[in-house]
Amino acid sequence: MIDHLLGRPSPSWKRVQVFLVSLTWFFVLFKIDRRGPRFLHTWNEKLSRFSPFQLVAGTLAALYILKNADRMIGLGAPEPLARLYSRNYYRATWVLTALDAGFWTAMPIRPKLFRDIMSILFSIYYLIFADQADEKTRRIRATVTVEQLRTSWEKTLNPYLRALIRFTHPRLTIHQKKVLIPRPENSLYSKQVTGYIYYEGPLESFKYCDSLILNFPGGGFIGMPPPCHEDYLAHWAKKTKVPILSIDYGKAPEYPYPFALDECFDVYRSIIESNGEVIGMAGWKDKDGSRRKQMKVVLIGDSAGGNLVASVMYKILEYQMPIPHPSGLILIYPVLNFDITCWMPPDQLSVIRAESSTSIPGVLESKDHLSHKSPLSVVPDVKKRRWRKSFSGPREDERTLEDRVRVIEGHTVTDKNEKDRLRPVIGTRLTMTSRMSYFNDRILNADLMRALAIIYIGPNNYPVFSSDYLLSPIVGPIELLAKFPKTYLMCGEKDPLVDDTVVFAGRIREAKKIKKRQQLEDKGRYGENFRMSSMNNNDNSNTDSEDWVEVKIIQGSSHAFLQMPTLLPENKGAVRACALWLHECCQDKTDDINTNCTEIIHEDEGLTFTTRRSKNNGITNSKENENRNLDPEQIQDSTSIMNNLYVSEPSAMIPSNDNIQKSVSTTVLAPGHEIWEQKNIVNENELLKRRRDTLVRNLTEGCNTTTAVEQSISEKMTKDI
């Protein structure tokens, strides 16, 4: 009260108020009559028959009842995030919020040993008093500092907490081996880069591995070195049997943009140019003295690391000297856009509509703001009570915003003729971005995103967000996006970054379609014997659009689900799905999936996500192109049907019919819906498609000889085009 009377609340005045109130009560208890004021003497005599314990317990119970009286009689405010997340994810965020509040409370304590102990004790307290933890984190995040962010995100470095979670880590042959990686010759910097190696396998085999997983860990560009991510890094190393090199790049504000990007790019160059020799591998000479082939490198990153993965790929494509491309890119809830806007432009909304029509309908439904009572709600909030209609009719406060509309483009809307009623459709209405739709996210809210952008960009930088694609990869030109290797993306359905993830995937897919269409047009224009320009094998121009980009959206989850191994059951499925992606990227396309990969497929059953339908091996007859041409009303109807469809899609590389049958069996379908069609495994259209792919591949490799059958089929397809 005192700080509010003075007009400027502050922790200092709060402290003064607590001291004054405490001293006043102690003075009253010791100086006045022990029976209290005269008008309470009668009550004292009546209460004298109770024991001191009963009086204390009864007083605390009465205070608790008074404090929560509004909730008891139904006058309390609803919890805005109660139905936003899944039960498991909400439970995990409750624990993380308590840990954040506890670690922030213990920050001023010295020395470090005592601070580490009190951090755990305070966290236990906030686990019990969850409302106080929410209030404390809300206040700190409003004016968060770099030290507070690092304390919150690096809490797994606490020795006592680390000892508790270490039991869940698999044992590795090489665990957190620290290496110093030199810079390339023409680099702008001379400081060596620190990395950590994780590997499961014989020590002698590490030196001659032909694949490497290069990890750029997340942490908002300001914290979380690789040891904070060892939960899933150790599992990936265990399942893939491939060395993982996690980079401890320079963090802002000490090393602002673009230092971290240049550092990660230099690491990739050093590894490629030395063929792994800079991290202790054999380099270019094999055991027998022969020259080793170029090793495969897969880039993977989460959150801020996903931004670095995409930006490093841009730098690889733009480098003045040809550099071998990565075998694949894996971006997990990546930061792809620093332009923190509220309203979504129509071009991005159209991309989301195209992507959501067949794969992730929940993202599109969150854009339909008028279908809720509150314009800020992203989950259904209208209560359907049939018994109310029979007695009192529909309640005004239980109607959606769309139902309240009375005039649309000069036409009066009435409730009498529901069939002819004009309704707004998605695509013609104002739409918020996911950053604003989930601005109250319990992990990554709008305050944190603004703070991270300011810290990372740093001084002397005012980038143009609409064109600086090294900072915001989502705005990259289609010429570069068309050259991306196979890209995998994973994000939570309620993540503030989910829109950017879907849009980025859509832009890559459309860029590759444009490139492929141009190649087919050149082929038809110049004839079958026209020699096409050489292309990188990683362009994937000869494959279906499903082989270019793969997106998995985990339902009911938000940001940083990989950091919750012991709290979130879905974490295991996400880690296994990423391990399968890594295995596919490190594997030759001609190789069959081995036993370890098959185990990874069947271990992925615990993960619930929405994904794009597979068209591999010709076993499905997907009508994706037709769905993408639907009008908005049809798309809206189709998404409502697909909302209950949960698909656990295994590998995109299925070598045999046996594995095909196994992968189909792991798919879980909603009642009454069917997406798999195996009527004609090989038909005429599929044969023509295979012949066309063979011709394009031969043209790419410079093959000018074709058989008479191939020429006739190609001429037929050219006429159709």
Side-chain angles (χ1 to χ4, degrees), residues 148-301:
Q148 289 170 339
L149 286 174
R150 289 174 176 171
T151 299
S152 170
W153 292 346
E154 297 176 1
K155 48 183 170 284
T156 53
L157 299 180
N158 182 288
Y160 307 102
L161 189 61
R162 192 175 185 82
L164 291 175
I165 63 178
R166 179 159 288 185
F167 293 103
T168 62
H169 295 174
R171 295 181 178 271
L172 302 178
T173 306
I174 301 178
H175 183 79
Q176 280 192 22
K177 179 183 178 182
K178 189 175 181 179
V179 293
L180 295 178
I181 306 168
R183 302 273 189 156
E185 294 182 357
N186 57 347
S187 175
L188 298 176
Y189 310 94
S190 59
K191 178 184 176 181
Q192 292 181 325
V193 185
T194 304
Y196 293 82
I197 297 178
Y198 300 84
Y199 178 64
E200 171 60 23
L203 286 175
E204 58 273 10
S205 65
F206 167 77
K207 190 174 182 180
Y208 295 98
C209 287
D210 58 356
S211 300
L212 177 70
I213 298 171
L214 185 57
N215 171 247
F216 303 141
F221 304 100
I222 68 166
M224 297 187 71
C228 295
H229 301 260
E230 67 178 12
D231 297 316
Y232 56 85
L233 291 177
H235 283 87
W236 288 344
K238 186 77 173 180
K239 291 181 178 297
T240 60
K241 312 296 183 181
V242 176
I244 298 178
L245 175 63
S246 187
I247 304 302
D248 188 10
Y249 51 85
K251 306 299 192 298
E254 291 81 6
Y255 301 96
Y257 172 78
F259 183 86
L261 174 58
D262 294 336
E263 205 168 32
C264 294
F265 178 63
D266 286 348
V267 168
Y268 180 82
R269 283 185 53 203
S270 297
I271 293 174
I272 289 295
E273 292 174 2
S274 68
N275 206 29
E277 188 176 2
V278 292
I279 60 173
M281 304 181 80
W284 292 106
K285 290 186 178 180
D286 210 340
K287 294 180 181 180
D288 56 358
S290 60
R291 181 179 176 84
R292 300 182 68 216
K293 65 179 181 180
Q294 179 71 62
M295 66 185 307
K296 300 190 189 81
V297 179
V298 184
L299 301 183
I300 183 172

Side-chain angles (χ1 to χ4, degrees), residues 662-697:
K662 291 179 181 178
S663 65
V664 174
S665 64
T666 60
T667 304
V668 182
L669 298 179
H673 300 290
E674 181 179 1
I675 62 171
W676 294 95
E677 297 180 4
Q678 294 182 273
K679 297 178 181 178
N680 299 317
I681 295 180
V682 179
N683 52 30
E684 181 181 0
N685 293 332
E686 182 64 18
L687 290 174
L688 291 176
K689 175 180 173 298
R690 291 181 183 179
R691 289 291 186 181
R692 181 194 63 189
D693 292 344
T694 302
L695 288 174
V696 175
R697 182 165 56 254

Side-chain angles (χ1 to χ4, degrees), residues 333-389:
Y333 40 81
V335 180
L336 298 172
N337 192 0
F338 275 83
D339 191 6
I340 304 177
T341 57
C342 180
W343 308 115
M344 175 169 287
D347 56 341
Q348 291 189 5
L349 182 59
S350 63
V351 174
I352 289 184
R353 287 174 57 193
E355 294 293 313
S356 301
S357 61
T358 58
S359 58
I360 41 179
V363 178
L364 181 64
E365 290 180 351
S366 66
K367 307 299 176 190
D368 191 7
H369 307 304
L370 297 182
S371 64
H372 306 104
K373 290 191 303 182
S374 169
L376 302 180
S377 178
V378 291
V379 295
D381 58 351
V382 179
K383 298 179 181 179
K384 297 181 180 180
R385 300 181 179 178
R386 297 180 179 179
W387 62 271
R388 285 186 178 273
K389 295 182 179 180

Side-chain angles (χ1 to χ4, degrees), residues 528-532 694-707 710:
E528 292 297 327
N529 294 328
F530 173 68
R531 183 185 179 92
M532 298 173 62
T694 302
L695 288 174
V696 175
R697 182 165 56 254
N698 291 337
L699 289 173
T700 302
E701 296 173 355
C703 180
N704 295 325
T705 61
T706 57
T707 63
E710 290 174 342

Side-chain angles (χ1 to χ4, degrees), residues 369-419:
H369 307 304
L370 297 182
S371 64
H372 306 104
K373 290 191 303 182
S374 169
L376 302 180
S377 178
V378 291
V379 295
D381 58 351
V382 179
K383 298 179 181 179
K384 297 181 180 180
R385 300 181 179 178
R386 297 180 179 179
W387 62 271
R388 285 186 178 273
K389 295 182 179 180
S390 59
F391 290 97
S392 59
R395 289 178 51 180
E396 186 69 17
D397 58 350
E398 292 297 335
R399 304 181 66 189
T400 65
L401 297 176
E402 184 176 348
D403 292 335
R404 293 171 179 264
V405 176
R406 288 291 172 263
V407 176
I408 301 178
E409 297 181 353
H411 300 279
T412 302
V413 179
T414 61
D415 295 331
K416 296 181 180 180
N417 195 355
E418 290 289 342
K419 295 182 179 179

Side-chain angles (χ1 to χ4, degrees), residues 450-468:
R450 285 183 287 135
L452 296 177
I454 295 172
I455 294 172
Y456 178 55
I457 294 174
N460 302 324
N461 275 329
Y462 193 86
V464 181
F465 295 112
S466 60
S467 59
D468 191 349

